[in-house]
Every structure is written in C-alpha cells, then in structure tokens.
Amino acid sequence: MTTAFVFSGGGSLGAIQAGMLLALAERGVVPDLLVGSSVGAVNAVWVAGRPGVDGARELADVWRSVRREEVFPLHPLRGLLGLTARRDHLIDPGSFRALLARHLNFDRLEEAAVPLLVVATDVATGSEVVLSQGDTVDAVAASTAIPGVFPPVPWGDGVLIDGGVSNNAPISHAVESGAEIVYVLPTGYACSLDRPPASALGVVLHSITLLVQQRLAAEVARGWEGVSVRVVPPLCPLSVSPVDFGRSAELIEAAHAATTAWLERGPHSGPEQAALLLPHKH
C-alpha cells in the first residue's frame, strides 16, 4: 500500500514534526510520497533527501541548532520600508535561503529520493500551486513566503506565496497521487500561551496557525473513502509561540514521546480525529 506523509505549517513549531518523524522512522513507518506546505515543506524536502532513522535524527539536530535570527533576521529600516509600501516584505529572505542551501542535499525537486510535492499559493489568483519539479530552494522559499513577511517568489509565469494560505495540510494531493495510507503531521498551535504574542511577527504567525489549523480539521473531518488518514496527535497543551526557536529541543523530545506512545496504542483513523485539531481552551 502507498503511504504518504503530509506536513502542515506552523513556523518554529515545525520542530514538532522532527520528533514525530523520528518516532515513525523508529517503528519502520516509511513514506512512498511526501507532501509539504509552508514550514512543512522544509521538513518534507529534508525527508525526501534523507529518508529513514538517520535522516530523522539529523533533522532533529538541525532544528535544535536553528536560531530565530537565521530565519527571521529583523532589520528596523527594512521593516519600516515595508510598512511605508516601499517594499512588499518586512524580512530579507537571504539568511533563510542560505540556511536551506546548507542543509538540503538535492538541487531540484525531481531529484528527491522519495517523490515530493511542495504546495504554494499563486498570489494573483489565490489558487494552490503544486510543485514537483524545479529548484528546491526556490520551491521551499515560495511555500514558506509568509505574506508581507517574506517576499513573493517568481515561478514560471506567476508569483508564489506561502502554501498555508491556500492549503496548509494538503491531504487531497496525497490522495490524488494514489496514497492509500496518509499520515498527517500537524504542528499544532499555541493553545496555552500565558499572554498574547508581543511582536507583530508573533501576532501574524500565531494568527496564521489558528486559521490553518481549522482548515486542517475540516480536511480531516471530510473523510476520504478508501483511504486511511491517520493524524499524529499534536502536542497539547502547547505554550510555545511559532516564532520561538529556543525551545526546539523540548518540542522534539515531547513529540517523539507522544508519537511513540500513539504508535504503541495503534494509530487511529477516521474523521473523528478532527476533534484533536479544533480550537479549544485550557
């Protein structure tokens, strides 16, 4: 049976997926297809080039080492230019692109060891764009181009932004590609913050994670005839902001333990799993 892993977005909470991946790899659950959107595209591309337990361990090590300045290097003047409409973004993507280039081990999507789909959004039409060929760094930069934060990425005749805008957890593309078992790896969202995010970037990312989590819940609740959709339970309660890269080690360890326990119980499937993803209070 064809098994797909589907990765949702969530900023720095993408570290959670590294812990999930390690637990799945240790139990011999391996993908035949990878589908990623937003930060989920980062993790999907990594696995596509380094499948297996060793690759999952290396991914966890990378997440533990990443600092916010490598992804979101805030520059006051650049931000001011963005706010005054002299630029279409607040953050220069150069540092993030350099980080990707250092760690990704294939140049083009079609060279991946495991078939790979990266989801982005056409900024002009709002439609989903599924990338399976082309420059790997450009594809990931497009899928993670948070509107207003990172610049849109030219691609062919169009211009692309964050895949989470149109489809944060593209289960449909895995099913259309022939997957019979789909593991959904959600980042979850910060459902137990002590106080609202203090920065503009924090507010933007937290708001996006709330929106896309609800879209993911709707996708799971839809049900997929003939397909076993298995949602790896997100961490909950979660008090880590999606711009906080200082707690990745903690998130990886917690997600690894929780996913291991879930696998030992036997993975669940079915539309009732959507309840795991819906907004709630603690």
Side-chain angles (χ1 to χ4, degrees):
M1 300 187 77
T2 301
T3 298
F5 287 3
V6 173
F7 299 79
S8 69
S12 63
L13 302 182
I16 291 169
Q17 293 172 338
M20 293 173 172
L21 278 167
L22 182 55
L24 288 164
E26 288 173 344
R27 291 294 295 265
V29 181
V30 294
D32 303 299
L33 172 69
L34 297 154
V35 187
S37 182
S38 199
V39 77
V42 177
N43 289 330
V45 167
W46 176 280
V47 177
R50 297 177 177 85
V53 174
D54 289 343
R57 287 174 179 157
E58 291 174 18
L59 178 61
D61 288 341
V62 171
W63 270 105
R64 292 185 188 101
S65 70
V66 171
R67 298 294 173 261
R68 194 196 70 180
E69 293 74 20
E70 295 179 275
V71 181
F72 300 121
L74 298 177
H75 188 285
L77 176 58
R78 192 178 304 278
L80 180 61
L81 290 172
L83 291 173
T84 57
R86 295 181 63 184
R87 290 181 182 270
D88 61 3
H89 59 282
L90 300 179
I91 296 177
D92 189 310
S95 179
F96 178 53
R97 290 179 68 96
L99 179 68
L100 293 174
R102 285 199 305 273
H103 292 293
L104 300 182
N105 69 352
F106 55 96
D107 295 330
R108 295 184 62 81
L109 297 179
E110 60 267 31
E111 297 171 351
V114 180
L116 171 68
L117 302 176
V118 171
V119 178
T121 303
D122 186 304
V123 71
T125 65
S127 59
E128 296 174 43
V129 179
V130 182
L131 309 176
S132 60
Q133 296 182 325
D135 184 85
T136 304
V137 171
D138 283 347
V140 175
S143 186
T144 56
I146 303 164
V149 177
F150 287 127
V153 176
W155 189 280
D157 296 330
V159 180
L160 306 181
I161 58 173
D162 198 316
V165 172
S166 57
N167 196 346
N168 188 57
I171 297 171
S172 59
H173 298 302
V175 175
E176 290 166 4
S177 297
E180 298 160 284
I181 300 173
V182 177
Y183 284 86
V184 180
L185 283 68
T187 60
Y189 69 98
C191 57
S192 186
L193 289 174
D194 294 332
R195 60 186 66 85
S199 67
L201 178 61
V203 171
V204 168
L205 278 177
H206 181 62
S207 299
I208 289 174
T209 60
L210 291 172
L211 290 170
V212 298
Q213 193 76 358
Q214 293 181 62
R215 166 68 188 266
L216 173 55
E219 283 281 291
V220 173
R222 167 181 165 178
W224 300 87
E225 186 176 353
V227 179
S228 176
V229 176
R230 305 172 182 182
V231 180
V232 182
L235 297 181
C236 184
L238 183 61
S239 59
V240 180
S241 163
V243 295
D244 184 353
F245 286 83
R247 297 176 66 182
S248 292
E250 170 190 338
L251 294 176
I252 292 166
E253 182 178 349
H256 177 260
T259 305
T260 298
W262 176 71
L263 289 167
E264 288 175 350
R265 292 193 302 271
H268 301 286
S269 62
E272 66 278 0
Q273 297 172 108
L276 297 170
L277 308 168
L278 292 171
H280 55 273
K281 295 181 179 180
H282 291 281

